[in-house]
Amino acid sequence: MASVQPLILRGRWLILALSLCFIVLSSIGLGQLYFRGDYRIFFAKDNPQLQAFEQMQLEFNKSDNILIGIAPRSGDVFTPEILQLVQEYTEAAWQTPYSIRVDSLSNFQHTTAEADDLVVADLVPNSQLSAAERLIIRDIAIAEPALVNRLVAADGKVTAINITVQLPEPTQQQQVTEIWSFVSDLSAQFAARYPNVEFHHTGIIALNYAFASEAEQDVRALVPIMLAAIMLMLAVLLRSIAGALATLLIIVVTVTSTLGIAGWLGLFMSTATVNVPTILMTLAVADSVHLLASMQFALADGKTKSQAIQYSLQRNWQPVVITSVTTAIGFLTLNFSEVPILRDLGNLTALGVMLACVFSLTLLPVLMQFLPLRAATIQQSSGTMARLSEWVIQRQRRLLWGFVLVTLLCTALLPLNRVNDEPNKYFASNTSFRQANDFMEQNLSGFTSIDFALNGGVAGAVNQPELLQALESFSNWLAEQPEVMHVNTLSDVLKRLNKNMHQDDLAFYRLPETAAEAAQYLLLYEMSLPFGLDLNNQLNIDKSATRLTATLYNLGSKELIALEQRALAYFAANWPDYQLSAASAALMFAYIGERNMASMLTTLPLALLLISALLLVSLRSWRLGLISIIPNLVPAVIGFGLWGLLVGEINLALSVVASMSLGIIVDDTVHFLSKYRHAREEGRDSEQAVRYAFHSVGRALCITTLVLVAGFSVLMFSGFRLNSDMGLLTSGIILIALLVDLFFLPACLLKLDKSGRTADVSPATTKHS
Amino acid sequence: MLVRQQQNTADTPRQSDRFGIASGWLLVASLLCMPLAQADAEKGLAIATEQKARDRGWGDSESELQMVLRTAQGRESVRRMRTLALEVQGDGDKSLTIFDEPLDVRGSAFLTHSHPTAEDDQWLYLPSVKRTRRIASRNKSGPFMASEFAYEDMTSFELEKFSFNYLRDEPCAELTCYVVEQTPTDSFSGYSKILVWVDQQHYRVMRAEYYDKKQSLLKILELSDYRQYLDKFWRAHKLSMQNQQTGKSTDLLLESIRFNTGRSAADFDVAALERAR
C-alpha cells in the first residue's frame, strides 16, 4: 500500500475517470429498482408456515382481505341511515379492484322457511325499513354466529364490511396500492355524506399498504434528518466546508452505486432495505472523518497538502480496510437469517460499506487535491484524554470488577427477553394502521386469525355425521378458548339449514343426522347463493375438507403458537382419524421470529470467530486477539440485558442486531488495540501503552461513536418498529461499546497484559510520551 | 425505490390527463358514430335472433352429463347428472336435472321453468327428507354444484334476457365468428357483460368471455366437439369454463343426448319431481 499511495495522487485523473464510469454504470441500475410491501417478502419460499398457508389458499379460496370498520357516533348501526350506508357501501365495494367477495351485515344470506320454500335473501333487503323490521334484523344479526363479533359487534355499536381479494402472483405493490386507494376513496366519499360515521381500515391489504407507506415515510422523513445530522456533525468536527462537501459526495456516490447495483441484481426495495441508505451514510461518514482529520492534523504540523494526504493514507488505510471488512462481515451474517429481506439488507449494506471503503481511499484523496482544506485547530481535548487515562489507570481495579459485575448482571437479565413477532405491533401506536387495528379489536374483532382445515381424507367426508360432530365439538372448544373472539364454521350453517328445513323449528337447530341430508341441504343452499357469496371458501372441491376460521385477540407470537399447538393436540387426541392443519399470516409471523432468532444465535459465534481471527492477524498477537473478544462481546450482552429489563420483546429485526452491531463496534476495539500494540512494540509497559492509546485515538473514538449513535438514532424516528427498535438498540450498543473501550478494555489490558517487556521504565519518562 | 415511487406519483396525473383527453375523443367519436352504433345493436340482435331461430324445433331431449371440477393445481372432482329438457313455444324451456354423483346427493332433482322476462321458477327435490323446496331464482349467479358454471350460464338462451351489440368479425378456429356483446337486462345477473363468439356458418357459440360487475374478465368458456343431431341441431359435447381470477376450471361433458323421447309437459310439473329417479 505504501507504494500505492503516491500512485493514487499521480493517477488522479485516471481514478476520477474510473470512479465516474463506475458510478454512472452502476447508477443506471437504479431504474430497475422497485418496491414491494407485500408481507410475503418476510418469508423464504421454503418457509414451512408459508407453504402451509399457500397450500390452504390453493385448497380453498384466498383469504387476503381488507376490512372496513364502520362506527357511527350514535353508537347504533341499526338505524335507517347506517343500514343504508352499509348497503350502499357493500354494493360499491364489489367494484374494488381484484375483489372476489364482499361480506357485510346487509348482504348476509339469511335463510328462512316460508311454507315449503327455503328463502335465501339479503339480511337487509332495502333501506325502507320500519322500526319493527330493523329490530328483527338486529335480533337476527346479534344471534347469528356467522355475524356477531365478526361483522357486527354484540352491542350493535360497530359493523364491518369484509372485502376478499384475489391478487395475481407475483403480487406487485401497485395492485395493493390500487385496492387501498379505491377503498380509502370510497370511505372518504361516504364520510363526506355521513359525517357522523368513522371508518377504519384493516386486514391483510391494509397491512401490506402500511408496510409500504411506512417505508416511504421513512425515506421521506429520515433521509433529510440524516443528511442534516451529518452536515451538522461534519461542520462541527472538521470545521471545513470543503471537507464536509467531499464527505457528502462520497456518501452520495456510495449510496447511489449500492442501490444501482441492487437494481442490476434484480433486488427490490422493502421495509427493511429502504433504510440501507441511512445506515450506509452513517458507516461511510466514519471513514471520511478519519481520513480528513488526519489530513488536518498533518497540515497543522506544517506539511504541504500532498504530504498531508499521503500521511493520512499511510496512517489510515489499514484501519479503514480492517474496520470496513469487519463491518461487512457483521452484516453478511444476516445471510443466515430466515427472512429474505433481512438478507438483502445485510448484503446491500456489506456491499455499500466496501464501496465506501474504496471510495474513501481513492476518490476522497483525489478530491481533496482539488479542494481547500484548513489545518486542524489545537485539540483542547488531548488534555481531557490524558486526564481520562489517568483516571482509568487509578481506578482500574474498581472499573474492572464493576464492569464484570454489570456484565454478569446483564447476562442474568438476558432471559427476560422474549421473542415476539406481531405484525400489528410492528407499527408504532401513532400509525393509522395500528390505530384502526386497536379500535377494531376493542370494538368488534381482532386482526389476528388462524385458519384450520379439517380433512376427512375421502370425497364427501364433510357431509358425514361423524366429521360434522367433530367439526362442531372442535368449533365449540375453540370458541371457549380465552384467546378466541369468533369462530366461523360450516357446522353453524348446517344447523341453521336443518332448522330451516323443519319450518324454523328451534328444536332442529342441530346437525343433520345423515350424510345424505347434510349433502342435500348444502346442495339446496349452494344453489340459492348469489355470485361471490358461495361456500367455496369453506369447502374444497370434492368436499373432503372444510376450513374454519378463528378470529383472535391480538396475541403475542408465543401465545399464538401455544394456542395453535393446543388446538392441534386437542384435535389429534379426540379425532385421530381426521387431519387438522393450521395456517395464517399471523402464524407465519409468529414462527418467523423464533426461527430467525434460532438461526441468528447459531451464526453469532461464527461471526465472532471470523472477526476475532481477523483481529488476531492484524494485531499479530494471540493475547490481544483473545482480549479483544471481551470488548466485542460485552456491549451486546449489556445492551440486550438492559433491553430485557426495560422492554423485553425481541422482534425479528432485533434478533439480527447482535451480529450486525458486532461488525460495527469492533472498529473501536481495532483502533484502540492497534495503538496499544504499537506502544507495546516500542517497548512501553501496559500502563504507558494505555496512556498512548487514549492520547492518540481517544478523541477519534468519541467522534466516530457520536456519528454512529446519531446515525442509528435517526432510525428511531421511524413509525415502523422493526426499524425504530433496531435503531434504538444498535445505537445503544454502540454507545456502550465506547464506554467499554474507554473504561473496561484498558482495565482488562492492565490486568491481563502485565508481562511488559520494559516493566522497569520509570513512570516519569512515560508521562511525556 | 425513491426514484420509482416518485415516477409513480408523477405518472398518475399525467395518465389521468391522457385518459381525460382520450375519453374526450371517445365522446366526439361516439357522437359522430351514433348511427353506426345503432346499426351494431341491430346487427347484434339480428345475429342473436338467427341463433335462436336456428335452434328452434328440437322438441325434447334427454342427456347424460359429467362435470369435472379442477382446482388451480389440477386436482379433480367429478359430478354426474341426467337432464330432461322440453322446448316450450311462446315461453322459456323446461328442464329437469337428476343428480347421480356424488352419491350423497343421488336422486336429488332440480326442476326449472324458465321464462324470457319473468323470473325463472325453480324447485329442488331432496330425497333424504322427501321434500321439494322452491328456490328463489334471483340468486341465479352463484356457482352450480360448486363448479365454475353459474346457473345462469346453463339456463335456456332467451333474447329478452340481454341487449346485444355486434362488435366485429374474428377468425375462430378454422371458421369466422361474429363477436357479439351481450349485456344482461336483469340486475341480479352476476355479469356486467358477456362477449360471445358465434360462428357465421351455423350460428353456434364457440367461445364466451364473462365479465364481472367490476368489468374484469372473470371466466372464459370454450365450446368444442360440436355434433349435429336430427340433421339440424348442433350440440357441443365439451364445454370448458376457466376462471381467470382463481385459476379453477370446470369441464362440462355431454356424454350422450337423445331427441324425441316422448316427454310432455306433465313430466315437468312439480309433482313429477318426486317421481323422477
Side-chain angles (χ1 to χ4, degrees):
Chain A
M1 189 72 192
S3 57
V4 178
Q5 290 146 23
L7 274 181
I8 287 177
L9 296 184
R10 253 182 278 136
R12 56 183 180 248
W13 292 110
L14 186 66
I15 287 178
L16 266 184
L18 282 177
S19 306
L20 201 65
C21 271
F22 176 77
I23 294 159
V24 168
L25 278 179
S26 54
S27 302
I28 293 172
L30 283 175
Q32 296 175 35
L33 270 188
Y34 63 100
F35 185 83
R36 271 185 76 186
D38 174 9
Y39 68 91
R40 291 185 199 209
I41 55 178
F42 286 90
F43 306 95
K45 281 258 176 295
D46 58 354
N47 179 296
Q49 281 76 37
L50 176 68
Q51 288 185 338
F53 182 69
E54 298 207 313
Q55 185 53 41
M56 202 177 284
Q57 298 255 29
L58 287 171
E59 190 78 20
F60 304 93
N61 274 353
K62 286 216 172 187
S63 58
D64 286 350
N65 71 324
I66 182 161
L67 186 79
I68 301 118
I70 297 173
R73 296 232 167 81
S74 64
D76 182 11
V77 299
F78 295 97
T79 63
E81 191 194 19
I82 302 302
L83 288 178
Q84 187 179 352
L85 161 67
V86 171
Q87 208 178 25
E88 286 175 12
Y89 203 126
T90 305
E91 195 55 40
W94 283 104
Q95 296 295 323
T96 310
Y98 311 103
S99 63
I100 54 169
R101 186 182 180 107
V102 179
D103 288 287
S104 76
L105 178 64
S106 72
N107 79 356
F108 173 73
Q109 293 299 299
H110 178 58
T111 51
T112 43
E114 248 171 52
D116 253 2
D117 296 353
L118 175 73
V119 180
V120 181
D122 288 2
L123 178 58
V124 183
N126 54 62
S127 47
Q128 272 76 53
L129 295 163
S130 67
E133 284 170 315
R134 279 184 281 117
L135 207 63
I136 292 171
I137 288 173
R138 183 192 165 103
D139 288 346
I140 293 169
I142 305 282
E144 173 54 53
L147 285 177
V148 72
N149 294 331
R150 176 165 163 261
L151 293 178
V152 65
D155 58 10
K157 285 183 177 166
V158 177
T159 183
I161 294 173
N162 190 45
I163 306 174
T164 309
V165 293
Q166 171 100 29
L167 289 171
E169 301 281 347
T171 305
Q172 300 288 319
Q173 189 55 34
Q174 203 193 333
Q175 293 148 356
V176 172
T177 312
E178 248 179 274
I179 297 169
W180 175 265
S181 340
F182 180 86
V183 172
S184 54
D185 282 356
L186 208 56
S187 291
Q189 286 167 26
F190 280 104
R193 284 175 48 205
Y194 298 88
N196 291 319
V197 181
E198 273 179 49
F199 296 86
H200 303 267
H201 304 106
T202 165
I204 294 294
I205 295 299
L207 172 72
N208 283 349
Y209 182 78
F211 273 134
S213 69
E214 286 308 321
E216 200 184 323
Q217 194 60 34
D218 273 11
V219 172
R220 213 173 275 164
L222 302 192
V223 171
I225 298 178
M226 190 63 211
L227 281 175
I230 286 174
M231 291 311 286
L232 188 74
M233 281 187 296
L234 289 174
V236 171
L237 299 176
L238 299 171
R239 295 192 184 88
S240 155
I241 293 175
L245 281 178
T247 308
L248 194 65
L249 194 74
I250 297 293
I251 292 170
V252 169
V253 298
T254 302
V255 169
T256 51
S257 35
T258 306
L259 294 185
I261 290 171
W264 281 121
L265 293 176
L267 295 177
F268 56 84
M269 288 283 105
S270 62
T271 31
T273 48
V274 84
N275 286 306
V276 165
T278 321
I279 296 174
L280 273 185
M281 284 177 194
T282 312
L283 297 173
V285 100
D287 292 344
S288 300
V289 166
H290 277 294
L291 283 157
L292 289 171
S294 291
M295 288 178 204
Q296 288 178 315
F297 183 75
L299 284 174
D301 240 18
K303 294 192 169 83
T304 67
K305 201 156 82 179
S306 291
Q307 283 171 329
I309 292 171
Q310 284 206 21
Y311 168 83
S312 171
L313 280 175
Q314 194 183 343
R315 262 186 56 136
N316 287 301
W317 79 265
Q318 200 190 9
V320 165
V321 169
I322 290 179
T323 55
S324 299
V325 169
T326 53
T327 305
I329 289 176
F331 276 97
L332 284 175
T333 57
L334 298 197
N335 275 304
F336 294 95
S337 164
E338 291 283 324
V339 182
I341 54 171
L342 287 177
R343 288 180 218 156
D344 293 347
L345 169 70
N347 290 332
L348 284 182
T349 314
L351 171 71
V353 165
M354 291 321 293
L355 286 177
C357 169
V358 172
F359 285 134
S360 307
L361 290 177
T362 56
L363 194 56
L364 183 70
V366 171
L367 282 173
M368 292 322 290
Q369 284 273 299
F370 300 103
L371 294 170
L373 189 67
R374 197 184 297 169
T377 42
I378 304 100
Q379 300 187 345
Q380 310 98 316
S381 60
S382 58
T384 320
M385 282 298 145
R387 258 178 279 132
L388 198 60
S389 63
E390 290 312 318
W391 190 85
V392 170
I393 290 168
Q394 273 168 26
R395 289 165 181 77
Q396 48 173 294
R397 285 183 65 83
R398 252 184 283 170
L399 282 172
L400 182 69
W401 296 116
F403 263 97
V404 168
L405 195 70
V406 169
T407 309
L408 289 177
L409 204 71
C410 286
T411 312
L413 293 176
L414 284 179
L416 288 180
N417 285 304
R418 297 168 72 251
V419 173
N420 189 25
D421 278 280
E422 282 176 68
N424 184 40
K425 283 205 184 159
Y426 285 172
F427 299 90
S429 47
N430 59 355
T431 55
S432 58
F433 176 73
R434 178 76 180 274
Q435 285 169 351
N437 265 352
D438 290 348
F439 177 87
M440 293 302 280
E441 187 193 20
Q442 278 158 27
N443 294 287
L444 181 52
S445 126
F447 166 71
T448 313
S449 67
I450 301 181
D451 287 341
F452 292 96
L454 201 174
N455 197 324
V458 292
V462 167
N463 295 321
Q464 290 164 1
E466 301 79 24
L467 188 140
L468 286 174
Q469 201 61 56
L471 176 67
E472 186 190 22
S473 304
F474 179 65
S475 304
N476 288 344
W477 178 87
L478 266 181
E480 281 162 16
Q481 303 309 302
E483 301 94 330
V484 178
M485 296 179 102
H486 180 260
V487 179
N488 194 30
T489 172
L490 190 73
S491 56
D492 286 339
V493 175
L494 277 163
K495 286 194 277 188
R496 178 158 49 90
L497 289 174
N498 197 20
K499 182 189 76 170
N500 296 149
M501 292 302 288
H502 293 90
Q503 279 72 41
D504 282 348
D505 182 352
L506 273 175
F508 284 90
Y509 188 75
R510 51 179 159 84
L511 291 171
E513 275 158 12
T514 65
E517 276 175 47
Q520 291 166 28
Y521 293 174
L522 283 179
L523 177 72
L524 175 63
Y525 183 52
E526 282 188 295
M527 285 195 143
S528 312
L529 292 172
F531 176 77
L533 295 175
D534 52 67
L535 291 175
N536 290 348
N537 58 345
Q538 292 186 61
L539 286 167
N540 66 354
I541 58 163
D542 61 359
K543 294 193 166 65
S544 60
T546 177
R547 171 165 73 177
L548 61 159
T549 303
T551 310
L552 316 169
Y553 290 95
N554 291 332
L555 295 179
S557 54
K558 279 259 192 308
E559 292 85 357
L560 190 63
I561 292 174
L563 174 66
E564 181 221 13
Q565 292 300 325
R566 205 162 77 230
L568 293 178
Y570 175 79
F571 190 89
N574 286 285
W575 299 282
D577 296 343
Y578 302 128
Q579 270 207 324
L580 186 75
S581 55
S584 76
L587 261 184
M588 284 155 64
F589 277 103
Y591 276 98
I592 193 82
E594 300 274 352
R595 289 167 56 87
N596 197 49
M597 192 67 188
S599 60
M600 291 319 291
L601 281 180
T602 52
T603 51
L604 192 58
L606 179 75
L608 197 66
L609 203 72
L610 265 173
I611 287 173
S612 299
L614 205 70
L615 291 193
L616 250 161
V617 171
S618 73
L619 293 169
R620 290 184 290 267
S621 157
W622 281 100
R623 194 195 304 246
L624 290 185
L626 289 177
I627 292 177
S628 76
I629 295 178
I630 298 171
N632 290 345
L633 202 56
V634 165
V637 170
I638 297 179
F640 275 93
L642 290 178
W643 187 267
L645 186 68
L646 300 172
V647 185
E649 269 187 19
I650 301 280
N651 58 38
L652 51 87
L654 289 189
S655 60
V656 302
V657 164
S659 359
M660 196 178 86
S661 60
L662 178 64
I664 300 171
I665 59 178
V666 87
D667 299 2
D668 288 355
T669 317
V670 169
H671 284 293
F672 196 93
L673 283 179
S674 61
K675 294 298 179 285
Y676 175 85
R677 181 186 59 96
H678 181 71
R680 291 284 284 162
E681 278 178 351
E682 283 184 355
R684 300 176 212 191
D685 71 1
S686 53
E687 211 174 287
Q688 289 168 325
V690 165
R691 284 196 190 95
Y692 175 77
F694 261 101
H695 174 72
S696 52
V697 291
R699 185 169 173 270
L701 290 191
C702 293
I703 289 172
T704 49
T705 303
L706 195 72
V707 172
L708 288 167
V709 169
F712 279 96
S713 302
V714 168
L715 289 183
M716 282 159 46
F717 294 103
S718 171
F720 189 57
R721 275 196 48 204
L722 288 187
N723 293 336
S724 62
D725 282 1
M726 185 204 257
L728 178 63
L729 189 55
T730 309
S731 57
I733 288 178
I734 294 172
L735 192 65
I736 294 167
L738 177 71
L739 298 178
V740 166
D741 281 322
L742 292 182
F743 300 109
F744 192 29
L745 178 61
C748 289
L749 288 168
L750 292 171
K751 175 87 182 164
L752 300 171
D753 192 39
K754 267 181 187 155
S755 56
R757 268 171 255 167
T758 50
D760 54 338
V761 177
S762 69
T765 48
T766 57
K767 281 258 165 76
H768 301 286
S769 58
Chain B
M1 173 257 150
L2 245 180
V3 177
R4 186 59 167 233
Q5 288 256 326
Q6 279 168 356
Q7 273 180 353
N8 280 348
T9 45
D11 265 2
T12 330
R14 238 186 295 139
Q15 270 175 355
S16 61
D17 276 352
R18 221 181 292 142
F19 183 68
I21 293 163
S23 59
W25 278 112
L26 218 61
L27 187 70
V28 173
S30 62
L31 284 174
L32 288 172
C33 302
M34 271 303 250
L36 197 67
Q38 209 155 11
D40 287 347
E42 271 167 27
K43 187 168 178 185
L45 180 63
I47 294 166
T49 310
E50 179 63 20
Q51 186 187 337
K52 181 79 187 161
R54 294 229 182 170
D55 203 43
R56 194 157 288 149
W58 51 269
D60 67 277
S61 71
E62 201 173 318
S63 51
E64 285 180 311
L65 297 155
Q66 187 185 350
M67 222 179 211
V68 184
L69 278 63
R70 266 185 215 97
T71 64
Q73 323 93 286
R75 259 190 51 195
E76 289 185 355
S77 175
V78 176
R79 320 259 189 272
R80 281 177 202 280
M81 61 204 92
R82 286 165 286 146
T83 297
L84 317 177
L86 179 74
E87 190 179 19
V88 178
Q89 301 297 340
D91 197 357
D93 301 339
K94 291 179 178 177
S95 75
L96 177 65
T97 299
I98 302 142
F99 300 104
D100 293 329
E101 267 179 52
L103 292 179
D104 49 23
V105 296
R106 164 168 277 180
S108 301
F110 180 53
L111 175 68
T112 305
H113 294 178
S114 65
H115 308 291
T117 45
E119 278 177 17
D120 294 358
D121 292 310
Q122 301 177 355
W123 297 266
L124 185 67
Y125 171 72
L126 303 181
S128 65
V129 285
K130 299 193 175 59
R131 282 205 185 88
T132 301
R133 287 283 181 270
R134 179 202 280 268
I135 297 174
S137 68
R138 276 189 174 181
N139 291 344
K140 60 186 177 182
S141 55
F144 182 81
M145 304 271 297
S147 73
E148 295 311 317
F149 286 89
Y151 165 74
E152 65 177 309
D153 305 340
M154 304 166 66
T155 181
S156 74
F157 175 68
E158 304 293 343
L159 295 177
E160 292 81 355
K161 289 179 177 173
F162 304 96
S163 66
F164 300 92
N165 197 12
Y166 163 78
L167 298 179
R168 59 183 179 269
D169 284 353
E170 213 174 271
C172 50
E174 53 270 23
L175 306 162
T176 309
C177 280
Y178 299 115
V179 184
V180 179
E181 184 184 74
Q182 304 180 344
T183 309
T185 47
D186 184 352
S187 64
F188 290 102
S189 168
Y191 310 121
S192 57
K193 66 173 181 200
I194 307 164
L195 296 189
V196 181
W197 277 252
V198 183
D199 92 81
Q200 298 189 345
Q201 199 183 349
H202 300 294
Y203 287 80
R204 299 169 303 189
V205 176
M206 308 304 286
R207 174 189 170 89
E209 292 181 353
Y210 298 83
Y211 287 81
D212 64 18
K213 286 286 178 91
K214 59 178 191 296
Q215 307 287 341
S216 305
L217 179 59
L218 175 67
K219 303 187 291 192
I220 295 178
L221 174 67
E222 275 172 335
L223 302 95
S224 55
D225 193 8
Y226 265 103
R227 298 180 205 165
Q228 197 175 26
Y229 292 90
L230 309 178
D231 291 329
K232 186 173 180 198
F233 308 107
W234 290 93
R235 291 289 178 271
H237 282 247
K238 185 176 182 188
L239 294 85
S240 297
M241 186 72 94
Q242 179 92 36
N243 191 312
Q244 302 299 302
Q245 295 176 3
T246 62
K248 292 184 188 175
S249 64
T250 299
D251 283 351
L252 182 61
L253 305 171
L254 181 59
E255 298 197 310
S256 71
I257 183 161
R258 292 184 296 135
F259 287 86
N260 297 327
T261 54
R263 301 278 174 180
S264 69
D267 294 312
F268 294 89
D269 68 17
V270 181
L273 253 185
E274 287 163 36
R275 296 193 304 269
R277 285 293 175 274

